[in-house]
Amino acid sequence: MYGHAMKLGLLLVAGGLALIPLSREPQVRSRSPFLLTDGERDDKAFPLISPSTSEGLRPDPVDFSPEELRELNRRFGVHGPQPRLAQLFTEGIDQLQPLRSHTLGRLEELRPVILNESRRHHINPMLVTAVLFDELQHAKPGEDLPLAARSGLFSTHGPAQLSVGELVKQGLLPADASPEQIDEARMELLDPDRNVRLLVGKFVRLKQALGLSDNALLMASTSPADAKAIATLAYLHNGKLDYPGRVLRYMQDPELHALLYGTRKPITSPLI
């Protein structure tokens, strides 16, 4: 009975969302890779993107060449895009206004730590906000409960969906951690403010791995090279090829901009 209900639900979702436009899948174009191998990389500057083959058009930051994809897979183990049905379902989730309002409320609570940590480490706060928005929107029910985290049922935790392995990569947990240390690390990831700090730390680590300047804020709206770098950072965070396009779209969301940079005035009673 449950299986039939599940199938019916998926059919309804697919049918009801058929008119929702899909986000554009990153295309694989044949051009010179912007990523350099470990031996070729210059740690002082990010390699320039090859210009688009369409004259006069701005290069699309989510277009990865076959060489770039091979290099990213070799060094970071990234994957292709989600199946089309999964992308459709993701797009549908984003149309649910009550869920969006709840997500924005959670981001409002995280706003101070997002701004402080991003400023301190020269990370674009809109990139951090966009990633958090996506992860919070599509979180699995119950995964933020301590009991679920301790059970090992979920491999990622907290608002940014980080794994215990990220603590190891940042040098905050030994690779041969004991079960007790791993359990403590999972609880650490469930702390929202701590989780955001670790997300910013992850972007710092990835910037260094890509040869980006530590002081480069990266502004997608002003530089094609920066836009490609941001798309790559988003790709490496999630590992799915359709993810960078969503993050770049969220970074342009007026409501997210207002949440992060808008002026807040206290609400006063009209009787005062």
Side-chain angles (χ1 to χ4, degrees), residues 115-151:
L115 290 173
N116 290 338
E117 289 300 301
S118 298
R119 186 181 302 115
R120 191 158 70 93
H121 293 285
H122 304 286
I123 299 296
N124 188 325
M126 280 307 302
L127 169 61
V128 178
T129 302
V131 167
L132 288 169
F133 178 82
D134 184 90
E135 300 294 2
L136 287 168
Q137 278 282 99
H138 309 120
K140 303 176 187 68
E143 65 183 3
D144 57 346
L145 298 175
L147 182 61
R150 288 194 176 96
S151 71

Side-chain angles (χ1 to χ4, degrees), residues 87-162:
Q87 293 185 51
L88 184 62
F89 184 77
T90 298
E91 291 286 342
I93 290 292
D94 287 350
Q95 307 303 314
L96 301 177
Q97 190 58 45
L99 176 61
R100 179 182 174 88
S101 298
H102 177 72
T103 301
L104 292 175
R106 301 231 9 221
L107 286 174
E108 177 74 29
E109 297 172 357
L110 297 172
R111 178 178 179 269
V113 67
I114 292 172
L115 290 173
N116 290 338
E117 289 300 301
S118 298
R119 186 181 302 115
R120 191 158 70 93
H121 293 285
H122 304 286
I123 299 296
N124 188 325
M126 280 307 302
L127 169 61
V128 178
T129 302
V131 167
L132 288 169
F133 178 82
D134 184 90
E135 300 294 2
L136 287 168
Q137 278 282 99
H138 309 120
K140 303 176 187 68
E143 65 183 3
D144 57 346
L145 298 175
L147 182 61
R150 288 194 176 96
S151 71
L153 181 62
F154 301 106
S155 59
T156 56
H157 310 281
Q161 289 297 287
L162 300 175

Side-chain angles (χ1 to χ4, degrees), residues 20 88 95 102 122 133 169 176 181 189 215 217 233 258:
I20 298 172
L88 184 62
Q95 307 303 314
H102 177 72
H122 304 286
F133 178 82
K169 291 174 181 176
D176 58 348
Q181 288 175 310
L189 290 172
N215 295 322
L217 184 61
L233 289 172

